Short mmCIF file of all heavy atoms in Angstrom, two decimals:
data_model
loop_
_atom_site.label_atom_id
_atom_site.label_comp_id
_atom_site.label_asym_id
_atom_site.label_seq_id
_atom_site.Cartn_x
_atom_site.Cartn_y
_atom_site.Cartn_z
N LEU A 6 67.94 103.68 92.45
CA LEU A 6 67.92 102.36 93.03
C LEU A 6 66.49 101.87 93.14
O LEU A 6 66.15 100.75 92.91
CB LEU A 6 68.71 102.27 94.34
CG LEU A 6 70.15 102.37 94.24
CD1 LEU A 6 70.76 102.36 95.75
CD2 LEU A 6 70.84 101.36 93.40
N ALA A 12 61.73 97.89 88.51
CA ALA A 12 61.90 97.12 87.31
C ALA A 12 62.16 95.64 87.51
O ALA A 12 61.55 94.74 86.86
CB ALA A 12 62.99 97.67 86.52
N GLY A 17 60.04 90.07 87.89
CA GLY A 17 59.72 88.84 88.61
C GLY A 17 58.25 88.51 88.40
O GLY A 17 57.89 87.35 88.28
N MET A 20 57.81 86.87 85.01
CA MET A 20 58.25 85.52 85.01
C MET A 20 57.33 84.58 85.75
O MET A 20 57.07 83.43 85.39
CB MET A 20 59.68 85.42 85.76
CG MET A 20 60.81 86.10 85.03
SD MET A 20 61.23 85.35 83.41
CE MET A 20 60.36 86.54 82.24
N THR A 28 54.35 75.45 86.89
CA THR A 28 54.48 74.18 86.14
C THR A 28 55.65 74.27 85.14
O THR A 28 56.05 73.22 84.75
CB THR A 28 53.19 73.97 85.39
OG1 THR A 28 52.86 74.97 84.41
CG2 THR A 28 52.00 73.78 86.36
N LYS A 30 59.53 75.33 84.70
CA LYS A 30 60.64 75.42 85.80
C LYS A 30 61.54 76.59 85.40
O LYS A 30 61.99 77.34 86.36
CB LYS A 30 61.43 74.20 85.94
CG LYS A 30 60.62 72.97 86.37
CD LYS A 30 59.86 73.27 87.62
CE LYS A 30 58.97 72.02 88.06
NZ LYS A 30 57.84 72.37 88.84
N PRO A 32 61.25 79.66 84.13
CA PRO A 32 60.86 81.04 84.67
C PRO A 32 61.04 81.26 86.11
O PRO A 32 61.11 82.36 86.64
CB PRO A 32 59.40 81.29 84.17
CG PRO A 32 59.21 80.36 83.07
CD PRO A 32 60.06 79.13 83.32
N ILE A 33 61.00 80.11 86.92
CA ILE A 33 61.23 80.23 88.29
C ILE A 33 62.50 80.84 88.75
O ILE A 33 62.63 81.66 89.66
CB ILE A 33 61.04 78.81 89.00
CG1 ILE A 33 59.65 78.35 88.79
CG2 ILE A 33 61.41 78.95 90.52
CD1 ILE A 33 59.39 76.93 89.24
N PHE A 44 64.18 93.35 96.29
CA PHE A 44 64.19 93.53 97.78
C PHE A 44 65.61 94.09 98.24
O PHE A 44 65.62 94.83 99.14
CB PHE A 44 63.84 92.21 98.50
CG PHE A 44 62.39 92.01 98.57
CD1 PHE A 44 61.83 91.00 97.76
CD2 PHE A 44 61.58 92.80 99.35
CE1 PHE A 44 60.40 90.90 97.88
CE2 PHE A 44 60.19 92.65 99.41
CZ PHE A 44 59.57 91.60 98.63
N LEU A 46 67.66 95.94 96.49
CA LEU A 46 67.78 97.39 96.08
C LEU A 46 66.86 98.19 96.92
O LEU A 46 67.15 99.38 97.39
CB LEU A 46 67.43 97.48 94.66
CG LEU A 46 68.55 96.93 93.58
CD1 LEU A 46 68.02 96.87 92.21
CD2 LEU A 46 69.79 97.70 93.80
N MET A 47 65.62 97.68 97.15
CA MET A 47 64.68 98.42 97.92
C MET A 47 65.30 98.65 99.42
O MET A 47 65.16 99.70 100.04
CB MET A 47 63.48 97.73 98.15
CG MET A 47 62.34 98.68 98.74
SD MET A 47 60.61 97.99 98.60
CE MET A 47 60.65 96.70 99.86
N GLU A 52 68.00 103.17 103.52
CA GLU A 52 69.04 103.87 104.23
C GLU A 52 68.93 105.43 104.17
O GLU A 52 69.27 106.06 105.21
CB GLU A 52 70.41 103.43 103.81
CG GLU A 52 70.74 101.98 104.00
CD GLU A 52 72.08 101.63 103.56
OE1 GLU A 52 72.89 102.40 103.11
OE2 GLU A 52 72.37 100.38 103.55
N SER A 53 68.16 105.89 103.15
CA SER A 53 68.16 107.36 102.99
C SER A 53 66.74 107.91 102.71
O SER A 53 66.46 109.13 102.78
CB SER A 53 69.13 107.86 101.98
OG SER A 53 68.85 107.13 100.69
N LEU A 56 60.44 104.79 104.91
CA LEU A 56 59.77 103.54 104.68
C LEU A 56 58.51 103.65 103.88
O LEU A 56 58.29 102.99 102.90
CB LEU A 56 59.64 102.69 105.92
CG LEU A 56 58.89 101.36 105.85
CD1 LEU A 56 59.63 100.39 104.90
CD2 LEU A 56 58.68 100.85 107.23
N VAL A 59 59.06 104.79 100.28
CA VAL A 59 59.70 103.70 99.41
C VAL A 59 58.61 102.65 99.13
O VAL A 59 58.53 102.20 97.98
CB VAL A 59 60.87 103.17 100.18
CG1 VAL A 59 61.40 101.90 99.51
CG2 VAL A 59 61.97 104.18 100.23
N THR A 64 55.49 99.63 95.40
CA THR A 64 54.23 98.92 95.04
C THR A 64 53.26 99.58 94.02
O THR A 64 52.87 98.85 93.09
CB THR A 64 53.26 98.72 96.36
OG1 THR A 64 53.01 100.03 96.99
CG2 THR A 64 53.92 97.82 97.35
N ALA A 69 51.44 99.69 88.48
CA ALA A 69 51.20 100.45 87.12
C ALA A 69 51.99 99.77 86.03
O ALA A 69 51.41 99.50 84.90
CB ALA A 69 51.62 101.89 87.37
N PHE A 78 51.97 92.64 76.48
CA PHE A 78 52.44 91.22 76.20
C PHE A 78 51.40 90.07 76.34
O PHE A 78 51.63 89.10 75.72
CB PHE A 78 53.67 90.82 77.07
CG PHE A 78 54.87 91.72 76.84
CD1 PHE A 78 55.17 92.80 77.60
CD2 PHE A 78 55.78 91.44 75.68
CE1 PHE A 78 56.24 93.61 77.37
CE2 PHE A 78 56.81 92.26 75.42
CZ PHE A 78 57.08 93.33 76.26
N GLU A 81 45.98 91.85 78.07
CA GLU A 81 44.98 91.99 79.17
C GLU A 81 44.23 93.29 79.14
O GLU A 81 43.37 93.52 79.96
CB GLU A 81 45.84 91.83 80.57
CG GLU A 81 46.39 90.47 80.65
CD GLU A 81 47.14 90.29 81.92
OE1 GLU A 81 47.39 91.28 82.65
OE2 GLU A 81 47.70 89.17 82.12
N GLY A 82 44.49 94.10 78.20
CA GLY A 82 43.65 95.37 78.10
C GLY A 82 44.17 96.37 79.07
O GLY A 82 44.72 96.18 80.09
N LYS A 87 41.11 100.97 84.11
CA LYS A 87 42.42 100.60 84.66
C LYS A 87 43.41 101.83 84.68
O LYS A 87 44.18 102.12 85.66
CB LYS A 87 43.18 99.56 83.78
CG LYS A 87 42.77 98.18 84.12
CD LYS A 87 43.63 97.20 83.31
CE LYS A 87 43.23 95.74 83.59
NZ LYS A 87 44.07 94.75 82.81
N ILE A 91 45.17 103.53 87.97
CA ILE A 91 46.62 103.83 87.98
C ILE A 91 46.77 105.30 88.38
O ILE A 91 47.70 105.59 89.18
CB ILE A 91 47.32 103.46 86.64
CG1 ILE A 91 47.41 101.98 86.53
CG2 ILE A 91 48.72 104.18 86.57
CD1 ILE A 91 47.77 101.54 85.08
N MET A 103 54.21 114.34 99.65
CA MET A 103 54.00 115.76 100.15
C MET A 103 53.88 115.72 101.66
O MET A 103 54.27 116.86 102.28
CB MET A 103 52.73 116.41 99.48
CG MET A 103 52.90 116.59 98.03
SD MET A 103 51.35 117.06 97.15
CE MET A 103 50.88 118.46 97.99
#
Side-chain angles (χ1 to χ4, degrees):
L6 291 176
M20 293 297 102
T28 58
K30 303 302 180 207
I33 294 172
F44 280 107
L46 293 169
M47 190 170 78
E52 292 179 9
S53 56
L56 173 63
V59 168
T64 56
F78 293 100
E81 295 177 356
K87 277 189 181 181
I91 290 169
M103 291 171 57

